[in-house]
Amino acid sequence: MATVREVTFGLLREFGIRRIFGNPGSTELTLFKDFPADFSYVLGLQESVAVGMADGYAQATRNAALVNLHSAVGVGHAMGNVFTAYRNRTPLVITAGQQSRSLLQMEPFLFSTQPTELPKPYVKWSCEPARAEDVPAAIARAYYLAMQPPCGPTFVSVPIDDWDAEAEPLHARQVSTRIAPDATALQRLSAALGRSQRPVFVVGGAVDRDGAWDALVRLAEMHGAVVWTSPLIGRCSFPEDHRLYAGQLPAFREEICARLAPHDVVVAMGAPIFTYHAEGHGPYLPPGIQAFQLTEDPDWAASALAGESIVGSVGLSIEALLATPRAGGPAGQQGRAAAPRLALTDPLTDAMLVQALQDLRPADSIIVEEAPSTRGPVQRYLPISRPESFFTCASGGLGHSMPAAVGVALGMADRNAARKVIALIGDGSAMYAIQSLWSAAQLKLPITFVIVNNARYQALHHFSQRFGIESPVGTDLPGIDFVQLAKAQGCEGVRVTRAAELENALRAALAAPRPTLVEVVVT
Ligand SMILES: Cc1ncc(C[n+]2csc(CCOP(=O)(O)OP(=O)(O)O)c2C)c(N)n1
Ligand SMILES: [Mg+2]
């Protein structure tokens, strides 16, 4: 009979999984005995980095990624990015080591007391199989559930002695995961859109994840609908240089109402109604507007406070809506005006940096962003114009995008679709996962890391004004040398302090065949 390990590796092969992201410990070592030559282990120097890389990799390859963590402490370190993967809807199969079954009664070293409870509620399913021989089936179940929209992480705790136990053969099954929306409900939405004089779409990450970017462009053009990006989402789903694109909605009730007020029908597509960052007052929607929501997530449908929700694949829903042509041509609406050009002068600002990056980057490059107070300038001066080209954390949990950039670059390369990856990261955000640079260097991925160094947690300065706080404590970050941090981990690095140096530094970094960091000091 084959071992649990052999059956599991065979199953992973059939799932198209050939990389294991992780950080190893003694309770996982038995998994790696006779490590198969067609698999590779992607080492993250802290578990959060391993999960962040796996998140980017899964999104780029459109398949669940496997992460292996070290019993309780590794899961603990990983939780920040497990939370983000859950919010990002990223399919991850997470396995964690556990002490030998025979020791579990005795509080052994390193064991996890309640292993299946530890990662909750940010995993969709969590299990420690009752018998060693059930491990492959548990991993298979974890895979299918992770891949079922709304996708997300799942968790299997595996005692150290299980991998050598004997197991029955197990093969991958075909599971089709797209759920068709209710056709009658879609007809109501189609009719409302057909009657609408001023339709507006609010789009979330599900459109890009579903491969429905082009279909959404056709639908928006057919109806002449203005398109807003939903607040705080993880992917871009509509070309931001399109004449119908209006911008990103702020995460505040009154401001959303003001922006939607000119419209008569709003459709949230793969987005909640809505995501708020602080308490608001007054109505959730402007008076008289008719609201619809297309979502793969029954929970989003249930928690929406207004409008009609239609649960099912967002991609299938958009395709179905395209089948009903609009009578009388599109509504005559326009999105936002083009951003005015900025002069590149001292002292440098983040907006100048972002504009220069947009001028110099390859048209098909991918932006992985985590620079909170630079998000506004990115929206304005760095429009995303192609699918699968923008990734950030949908959770607000920092420490995601630096490792995710490594995973995206690796995943695109594995898909034979390598594109330049640019990680645009705040100085504060970079320090949550700075070890990502080491993994990028080891993997020889030509990522350009751009650090926006404003020597502070600027977003918190900005946000604290809402609470009448002049100068919040714990938000200044003086004295971090990112070039030294890069060089110490095997990456090239250069520091830019003046406008005259910026473009050449970016050009050189974008052309480099190895990971390169550009630290840009901004006011
Ligand atoms: C893990 C985690 N800890 C703390 C925060 C709170 N937080 C939100 S924005 C921010 C500042 C980020 O600083 P930086 O990356 O330098 O960007 P800036 O605000 O300067 O644009 C912090 C600490 C968070 N979102 N996630
Ligand atoms: Mg900062």
Side-chain angles (χ1 to χ4, degrees):
M1 276 248 276
T3 62
V4 166
R5 180 173 42 245
E6 287 161 347
V7 174
T8 300
F9 275 112
L11 191 63
L12 294 173
R13 259 182 214 107
E14 292 178 21
F15 289 145
I17 293 176
R18 296 293 171 88
R19 294 194 187 270
I20 302 178
F21 296 83
N23 186 274
S26 52
T27 49
E28 295 77 54
L29 288 177
T30 49
L31 167 61
F32 306 130
K33 200 192 280 178
D34 307 321
F35 196 73
D38 59 334
F39 277 74
S40 67
Y41 187 84
V42 184
L43 177 59
L45 298 184
Q46 209 263 17
E47 286 81 354
S48 186
V49 173
V51 175
M53 290 194 294
D55 185 324
Y57 187 82
Q59 292 195 62
T61 56
R62 307 179 190 136
N63 193 14
L66 182 72
V67 187
N68 184 252
L69 300 173
H70 186 38
S71 59
V73 65
V75 175
H77 282 174
M79 266 327 281
N81 273 337
V82 173
F83 166 66
T84 291
Y86 186 79
R87 291 275 185 260
N88 279 1
R89 319 297 207 183
T90 301
L92 296 181
V93 175
I94 302 172
T95 58
Q98 169 67 307
Q99 264 294 3
S100 300
R101 288 178 186 269
S102 60
L103 291 179
L104 291 180
Q105 284 310 314
M106 293 173 269
E107 291 275 331
F109 189 54
L110 288 174
F111 103 117
S112 188
T113 310
Q114 295 183 35
T116 57
E117 296 304 306
L118 187 56
K120 286 180 184 172
Y122 299 114
V123 290
K124 293 175 68 181
W125 182 69
S126 175
C127 160
E128 188 173 88
R131 305 177 307 169
E133 56 264 49
D134 297 330
V135 167
I139 289 175
R141 184 170 167 185
Y143 175 84
Y144 301 126
L145 260 179
M147 291 292 285
Q148 175 64 55
C151 298
T154 53
F155 182 84
V156 184
S157 166
V158 186
I160 186 170
D161 38 348
D162 284 9
W163 297 111
D164 282 317
E166 292 187 333
E168 298 286 337
L170 186 69
H171 291 284
R173 297 179 303 116
Q174 189 69 41
V175 177
S176 9
T177 56
R178 293 178 101 192
I179 295 174
D182 180 342
T184 321
L186 280 181
Q187 273 167 17
R188 281 195 293 276
L189 169 52
S190 254
L193 277 175
R195 284 191 303 269
S196 167
Q197 300 299 304
R198 297 175 310 281
V200 58
F201 297 165
V202 177
V203 299
V207 178
D208 194 40
R209 277 200 304 277
D210 261 14
W213 174 289
D214 292 329
L216 175 60
V217 171
R218 289 204 302 281
L219 189 70
E221 289 175 354
M222 181 169 97
H223 288 287
V226 162
V227 179
W228 286 92
T229 301
S230 183
L232 305 168
I233 60 168
R235 291 175 66 148
C236 172
S237 286
F238 189 81
E240 294 173 347
D241 52 1
H242 194 284
R243 65 183 164 77
L244 289 169
Y245 183 67
Q248 180 153 31
L249 285 180
F252 306 101
R253 195 195 304 183
E254 298 85 344
E255 295 176 44
I256 291 175
C257 268
R259 280 160 185 76
L260 299 184
H263 300 284
D264 55 4
V265 171
V266 56
V267 189
M269 300 190 165
I273 303 179
F274 294 100
T275 307
Y276 304 111
H277 191 174
E279 189 184 22
H281 302 281
Y284 289 94
L285 285 167
I289 201 167
Q290 197 181 358
F292 292 87
Q293 179 190 44
L294 301 174
T295 178
E296 61 200 13
D297 186 349
D299 208 20
W300 276 6
S303 61
L305 288 173
E308 172 170 354
S309 297
I310 304 172
V311 179
S313 154
V314 176
L316 288 177
S317 300
I318 293 172
E319 291 288 349
L321 290 171
L322 278 168
T324 310
R326 181 185 170 94
Q333 301 190 103
Q334 284 292 328
R336 65 182 180 183
R341 284 294 292 181
L342 301 171
L344 206 53
T345 52
D346 292 315
L348 274 171
T349 64
D350 57 354
M352 292 177 205
L353 160 62
V354 164
Q355 179 184 274
L357 199 53
Q358 174 68 357
D359 289 346
L360 298 172
R361 74 185 180 108
D364 70 346
S365 55
I366 296 170
I367 304 290
V368 187
E369 180 257 354
E370 191 175 286
S373 70
T374 303
R375 174 68 59 83
V378 167
Q379 260 289 316
R380 210 73 196 93
Y381 298 100
L382 206 156
I384 303 298
S385 56
R386 300 178 188 212
E388 298 185 292
S389 298
F390 181 83
F391 301 90
T392 185
C393 61
S395 63
L398 303 177
H400 163 267
S401 294
M402 206 160 183
V406 178
V408 168
L410 190 63
M412 287 296 176
D414 282 0
R415 234 177 81 187
N416 289 322
R419 292 151 67 189
K420 187 79 201 174
V421 172
I422 300 164
L424 182 67
I425 313 285
D427 51 341
S429 298
M431 292 307 294
Y432 292 85
I434 198 72
Q435 303 96 317
S436 313
L437 293 172
W438 180 85
S439 294
Q442 294 297 313
L443 293 162
K444 301 187 171 59
L445 294 165
I447 301 166
T448 303
F449 293 93
V450 180
I451 306 293
V452 188
N453 188 353
N454 53 15
R456 51 163 46 178
Y457 291 151
Q458 173 60 27
L460 296 184
H461 276 259
H462 188 75
F463 207 76
S464 61
Q465 288 164 17
R466 288 190 170 261
F467 307 112
I469 302 166
E470 268 296 300
S471 183
V473 297
T475 55
D476 289 330
L477 308 176
I480 304 174
D481 185 334
F482 287 94
V483 173
Q484 295 295 331
L485 284 166
K487 289 189 170 158
Q489 298 180 77
C491 287
E492 285 304 306
V494 58
R495 180 170 228 246
V496 171
T497 55
R498 295 182 28 222
E501 305 158 352
L502 179 64
E503 289 182 322
N504 279 343
L506 290 177
R507 235 180 245 118
L510 289 167
R514 289 288 146 82
T516 304
L517 179 144
V518 185
E519 173 186 359
V520 183
V521 177
V522 300
T523 51

